[in-house]
Each structure stands twice: as C-alpha cells, then as structure tokens.
Amino acid sequence: MGTIDLDQGDPDFVKELAGQSGGQIRACFTCRTCVASCPISAINREFNPAKIIRMALYGLKEEILKSAFIWLCTTCYACQERCPQGVSITDFMTHLKNMAIKEGHAPPGIRAQLKLVKGEGRIYPIDDFDNKKRNKAGLPPLPTSCDAIKELFL
Amino acid sequence: MKYALFLGCTIPARARNYELSARKVAEKLGIELVDIERFMCCGFPIKAGDIDSSELLAAYNLCLAQERGLDICALCSSCTSALAEVAHHLSLDERRREQINERLSAVGLEYKSSPRVRHFARVLFEEVGDEKIKVHLQKDLSDLKIASHYGCHYLKPSEVHDHFDDVEDPNSLDALVALTGAEIVDYPLKKKCCGGPVLPVDENVALSVTKEKLESLRDAGADALCLVCPFCSVMYDGNQKSIESEYDTSFKLPALYLTQILGLAMGFGRKELGLNMNVVKTKKLTAKIGL
C-alpha cells in the first residue's frame, strides 16, 4: 500500500463499525501485539491487523472492502486474546468480511460455501454413497436431504 | 453421562476415522452419545459471509438439543466454538434472541435457554477425569513421542469456553495423552493455527502456515501429532503429502485424533479406530506398540 489519501475517507464507516461487535477499534494504541501474534502476518506482510484497524479509523471503506487481504484472516483469535486494549479484532475482521460480501466483493470459495450451506444445510451434503461407506464402517446413516433449511431461509 | 452428539458437516463425510474412534472411546467410558438426525451445519463455515444466517443455524441446532433436555458434545473445534459463541451471545442479548425466535418459528422451534456446549476432549478432561479414564487403559504407549495441536477454536474465544484451559499455556490435551504413558513433546509453534480457514481463499498461504508447524514438530522429534478437529486434520493429514512435494521436504508425521490415541491405549485395534483411513500411514507408528 502506498500513500494514504485521506480525501478518500468515509467518516460514516467508523460509525457503522462502532455499533458492531469488534467496534471498539478507537481504543487501539498501535502496540502491534496483534501483528506479532498473527500466523498470517508472519508469512505474508500484506496482512497486517494493526494497519487494517488504522485504515478503518481513517474511513478507507472502499480500499478495505475491495481488498484481498481481509480474507486472509484465519479467525484464530490470537490477536483478540492478547489485545491489551480489549479490541475484539477477530470479530472486527468478520464484520469487514460480511460488509465486503454485501458490497459484492468476496472470493469465489467463500461464496460457494455460503450457497451450499444455505441451500443444503451442510458443506458436505450426505448421499447414498456416503451412507454406504458409513454403514460399512459401522456408523449410523444420516439424512440425505434437509427440509428445515428451506423453511429457515425462505 | 449423556450428551447430544454434534457431528457437523466434515466429520460424517470426511473424517469417519474420528467419528468411529470417538464413539468407541465414549462407549468404553460410559458416555452416552445421542444422535439427532435433524442437526444441520453449525453455522461456522458461513460466518465470514453472513453472520446473521450463521447465528440462526447455530441457534436452530441448540434448540434441538434443548428440547430433548440434552447438553451438546461436539467433536469438531469449529462447531464447538460456533455453537458456544451463539449460546453466549444469546444469553446476553434479549433483542437478538427475539429476532432469532421469529425466524425459528418457521420450523416450530423456540430458543429458551441454551444447553451447555462442550468439546469431546473437554468432557474427557473436566467431567470424566483422569482416574476414570486410567481404569480403561490397557496398553502402554511409552514408546511413542506425541505432540498436541490445540488449534484455535477448541480454546478460543476463551470467554465462550469459560476459560477452561489457559490459551497461552494450554495443557488439557497433553494431560489426556500423558495418561497413555506416551512421552509428551513440547515445541515452539505449539499454539499456532493450522491455516485451514484460509484454504478456500489462498492455498499457498494456508499451506505455508501448516508447513511451518510441521517443521517445528519435526525438529522437536515428535513421532505423531494429536488432533481434536477435522479441519486441522485436513491440513496436517490430508495435505501433508502436497506440502512435502510443494516444498521438496519430508515429514511423514502421522496425525491422529486424540480419540485414536486413547483408543489404542484402551486396546482397540487399528481398524476399530479407523487408523486405516488416515492419509499419512500409521503402520510404523503402531508397530512400535506391537500392532
């Protein structure tokens, strides 16, 4: 990332985030404990939780939501557990991802998972072949279809 | 001791070795696991995409256990965490509870109060306890050096798991493995994530995270890795060969579920514990204990 253009800042973005879990990002005093704890930052400098918090505080909504890097968060909670200011950083990252999807930005893998779970009720729907293998292993059969999911997500 | 068994998506389809060994170990210890056919996905896989729907799925599953008066025992760390987290949120947020109940009424359910949500390993650690487990151990595993991977959602976020183990110095899995007589291996990257959640987004990044940890385990001299989550197993067992060829290196580190390790010590055979379904071969490992 190059120079930050503050004219691109959207002050409403910070307000929008403040109401969510993880919205206490104003409390961040840039100690970078999150970066030091992050398994992704350790191998990929593109991903930097402290920088994402700073960008959010500057209101750089578009730049964050269109980015590829927000999707690199593994949700391991290492940062959230250690933040001395009590910022729920992992929850904040999850909300950024939710907002990005609403704006139409999401990696195809994430979109596919969402479609599958909301359509079938499972990431790996069970078919007769699965039940055959389960039976062979001495495991009980599972339903091959799920009606409740359709009623829940009408 | 009676629990509703929450299998989630990955275990019944892709980790039958885990399910098989967990059911064997539970039966031996007198833990009754009740299957609820109507359980669906826990909601975790869609949390990044749609948190409201993710919470709704979790609440749906919690209700099914609640209406049978059962607490939930899950084998997958992500399922445990997703269900426990929503139970935690809903206990604090009445407005959210009302919104969820409006949606749940479509399937004739009402969220009243939450059942307790426990990972199988936590049930063994806290409720069954050392003495009761030891009574059932017949085989000494002292010829094996075993390292544990705690992963992330088994312990975190710590408040939804009642801080039952120290996230910065976890001990519960090592303590359970130690009951078998196995030598416990500590290693520098013990607390790191497996990288799995990034797999659908960036395979290279995900596999590098796994590779780092496999190197740390190899350097520490572990004979096997102990796991409690099928996602972590996808990375350490399922993808170990791809990592070896991608990075031109060799690990050949068997990655067993905790229940397979305890099952071996209980005297179950390889097939009974689904060891033939592990991707990284386990024969040399079990030969060390005469199997």
Side-chain angles (χ1 to χ4, degrees), chain B residues 89-199:
Chain B
H89 284 170
L90 294 182
S91 70
L92 302 171
D93 188 344
E94 200 182 325
R95 222 184 110 238
R96 184 78 188 117
R97 214 157 52 227
E98 282 166 14
Q99 290 169 341
I100 290 268
N101 272 333
E102 224 171 273
R103 299 282 303 275
L104 286 174
S105 65
V107 288
L109 291 173
E110 189 191 351
Y111 186 94
K112 291 175 194 137
S113 62
S114 174
R116 293 186 314 155
V117 181
R118 295 285 182 269
H119 190 287
F120 190 73
R122 183 176 170 189
V123 172
L124 298 183
F125 181 67
E126 284 189 332
E127 287 170 55
V128 180
D130 295 4
E131 293 312 314
K132 225 175 144 190
I133 296 171
K134 272 200 267 181
V135 171
H136 296 281
L137 304 185
Q138 308 169 358
K139 209 170 182 64
D140 178 31
L141 305 191
S142 58
D143 286 333
L144 305 181
K145 290 185 227 159
I146 302 179
S148 287
H149 166 73
Y150 289 77
C152 306
H153 301 109
Y154 168 61
L155 302 170
K156 301 178 278 186
S158 53
E159 69 273 19
V160 316
H161 298 287
D162 320 304
H163 308 273
F164 85 95
D165 196 355
D166 183 348
V167 298
E168 297 298 348
D169 187 18
N171 166 60
S172 52
L173 301 182
D174 291 309
L176 288 166
V177 174
L179 297 176
T180 68
E183 185 182 325
I184 301 305
V185 179
D186 210 353
Y187 57 110
L189 296 190
K190 185 172 173 178
K191 288 180 286 181
K192 281 245 167 135
C193 169
C194 71
V198 188
L199 199 61

Side-chain angles (χ1 to χ4, degrees), chain A residues 75 81-82 98 118 121 134, chain B residues 19 47 51 153 158 168:
Chain A
T75 73
E81 291 288 334
R82 290 178 182 170
N98 269 253
K118 285 175 84 172
R134 290 181 58 78
Chain B
E19 184 182 341
K47 200 174 161 193
I51 198 158
H153 301 109
S158 53
E168 297 298 348

Side-chain angles (χ1 to χ4, degrees), chain A residues 22 38 108-109:
Chain A
C38 178

Side-chain angles (χ1 to χ4, degrees), chain A:
Chain A
M1 193 178 72
T3 321
I4 290 175
D5 179 3
L6 291 179
D7 289 339
Q8 301 295 315
D10 175 354
D12 290 336
F13 185 48
V14 189
K15 282 185 210 149
E16 210 177 326
L17 289 167
Q20 307 282 3
S21 159
Q24 335 84 325
I25 50 169
R26 279 179 204 276
C28 168
F29 55 24
T30 354
C31 71
R32 295 174 175 269
T33 300
C34 51
V35 185
S37 308
C38 178
I40 301 297
S41 297
I43 56 156
N44 185 335
R45 294 170 64 93
E46 281 291 299
F47 187 77
N48 182 323
K51 197 166 175 178
I52 299 171
I53 291 175
R54 206 49 36 194
M55 288 172 77
L57 290 169
Y58 285 138
L60 301 176
K61 183 176 179 176
E62 284 297 294
E63 205 167 330
I64 293 176
L65 299 188
K66 281 186 183 167
S67 75
F69 59 73
I70 55 170
W71 300 98
L72 292 178
C73 167
T74 68
T75 73
C76 75
Y77 289 99
C79 55
Q80 182 158 320
E81 291 288 334
R82 290 178 182 170
C83 177
Q85 287 294 86
V87 178
S88 304
I89 307 171
T90 312
D91 296 342
F92 161 70
M93 293 302 305
T94 300
H95 280 289
L96 291 179
K97 292 172 193 167
N98 269 253
M99 286 167 126
I101 286 212
K102 281 191 188 129
E103 304 266 327
H105 316 296
I110 300 290
R111 222 177 266 285
Q113 262 185 5
L114 191 57
K115 200 176 158 205
L116 200 55
V117 172
K118 285 175 84 172
E120 308 281 341
R122 292 175 168 276
I123 334 177
Y124 302 117
I126 299 288
D127 58 22
D128 292 337
F129 187 57
D130 287 313
N131 272 333
K132 220 170 155 183
K133 282 189 282 189
R134 290 181 58 78
N135 183 43
K136 207 176 148 198
L139 297 169
L142 284 169
T144 52
S145 67
C146 178
D147 296 333
I149 194 82
K150 285 162 196 88
E151 289 156 26
L152 273 182
F153 294 112
L154 268 182

Side-chain angles (χ1 to χ4, degrees), chain B residues 163-281:
Chain B
H163 308 273
F164 85 95
D165 196 355
D166 183 348
V167 298
E168 297 298 348
D169 187 18
N171 166 60
S172 52
L173 301 182
D174 291 309
L176 288 166
V177 174
L179 297 176
T180 68
E183 185 182 325
I184 301 305
V185 179
D186 210 353
Y187 57 110
L189 296 190
K190 185 172 173 178
K191 288 180 286 181
K192 281 245 167 135
C193 169
C194 71
V198 188
L199 199 61
V201 178
D202 190 327
E203 197 177 300
N204 284 338
V205 169
L207 296 182
S208 321
V209 176
T210 318
K211 183 201 72 153
E212 263 201 324
K213 192 142 172 171
L214 283 168
E215 285 169 345
S216 179
L217 286 157
R218 182 179 56 196
D219 296 346
D223 293 326
L225 180 60
C226 166
L227 301 173
V228 291
C229 174
F231 269 8
C232 302
S233 174
V234 165
M235 300 311 286
Y236 295 114
D237 192 37
N239 280 313
Q240 193 178 128
K241 258 194 188 153
S242 330
I243 295 169
E244 286 176 329
S245 64
E246 179 73 25
Y247 293 94
D248 193 20
T249 184
S250 170
F251 300 111
K252 294 195 173 61
L253 181 72
L256 276 65
Y257 288 105
L258 170 71
T259 46
Q260 292 182 306
I261 294 167
L262 291 176
L264 284 171
M266 285 173 172
F268 289 114
R270 290 180 45 89
K271 227 175 160 189
E272 286 178 294
L273 299 169
L275 280 164
N276 51 326
M277 295 180 220
N278 283 43
V279 179
V280 177
K281 299 284 169 251

